[in-house]
Amino acid sequence: MNNILIINGPNLNMLGRREPEIYGHETLQDIETLCRDTAKKYEMKIDFVQSNHEGVIVDLIQDSLDEVDGIIINAGAYTHTSLAIHDALKLHSCPIIEVHLSDPSKREEFRHFSYITPIAQQVIAGKGAQGYVQAIEKIKELIQD
Ligand code: DHK
């Protein structure tokens, strides 16, 4: 069974009450349930994690080396700042999909650059919680190829 790691960065634990007009009304728990239902449908196993701490995310990425078949990451604000997360992801040879609930390219200029994009097979942005479902489907497709 394919094993997918889904990583959520800072402030994503506040979904539901965090700028709902931008991030939607779903909580992170709702998104986790959606991901678990999707993974079950495709007979995949997921680890769904969230951290507000850059080093913890780096540790999670390192610890998953040789353990996962794909990574889905919404690094939150670390998307735009973290060379450390970029470098950790580069250790992996499995497919990596970058997800954002909003579309950072249509927001403030400081959100336009991403350290994740250069190492991601695909970026899914502006699709809300459904973006996570699309990311799981894309990973499935990439693993099969
Ligand atoms: C989430 C965040 O926390 C922001 O810092 C990013 C991203 C966008 C999202 O849309 O999911 O800029």
Side-chain angles (χ1 to χ4, degrees):
M1 202 183 254
N2 291 131
N3 203 7
I4 311 302
L5 175 63
I6 305 179
I7 303 170
N8 296 280
N11 296 309
L12 293 168
N13 54 321
M14 301 308 285
L15 289 176
R17 60 182 294 182
R18 179 189 179 202
E19 300 177 273
E21 66 287 359
I22 294 175
Y23 296 107
H25 291 275
E26 276 143 319
T27 64
L28 194 62
Q29 182 59 59
D30 294 333
I31 295 177
E32 178 172 353
T33 302
L34 189 62
C35 288
R36 291 204 179 283
D37 290 348
T38 308
K40 199 170 169 189
K41 179 170 147 196
Y42 295 122
E43 299 183 327
M44 298 165 108
K45 186 181 164 302
I46 59 164
D47 277 334
F48 191 96
V49 295
Q50 188 275 331
S51 177
N52 291 325
H53 304 280
E54 185 177 23
V56 171
I57 295 172
V58 170
D59 285 344
L60 282 163
I61 295 167
Q62 289 182 6
D63 291 346
S64 68
L65 210 52
D66 304 324
E67 304 287 332
V68 292
D69 304 297
I71 296 177
I72 295 168
I73 181 162
N74 181 350
Y78 288 142
T79 303
H80 318 296
T81 63
S82 183
L83 179 54
I85 292 176
H86 167 104
D87 283 347
L89 287 169
K90 244 183 160 173
L91 290 163
H92 284 265
S93 51
C94 66
I96 297 171
I97 308 287
E98 176 180 2
V99 171
H100 299 288
L101 295 153
S102 68
D103 185 349
S105 72
K106 298 202 173 115
R107 298 177 60 194
E108 304 96 321
E109 199 171 343
F110 54 76
R111 294 183 203 274
H112 293 185
F113 176 77
S114 166
Y115 276 100
I116 313 297
T117 300
I119 47 81
Q121 265 68 46
Q122 191 169 319
V123 182
I124 299 172
K127 302 272 164 60
Q130 277 305 316
Y132 284 75
V133 173
Q134 289 181 18
I136 293 172
E137 288 172 343
K138 185 67 193 173
I139 291 256
K140 183 179 171 279
E141 203 180 295
L142 290 169
I143 290 170
Q144 279 168 357
D145 286 350

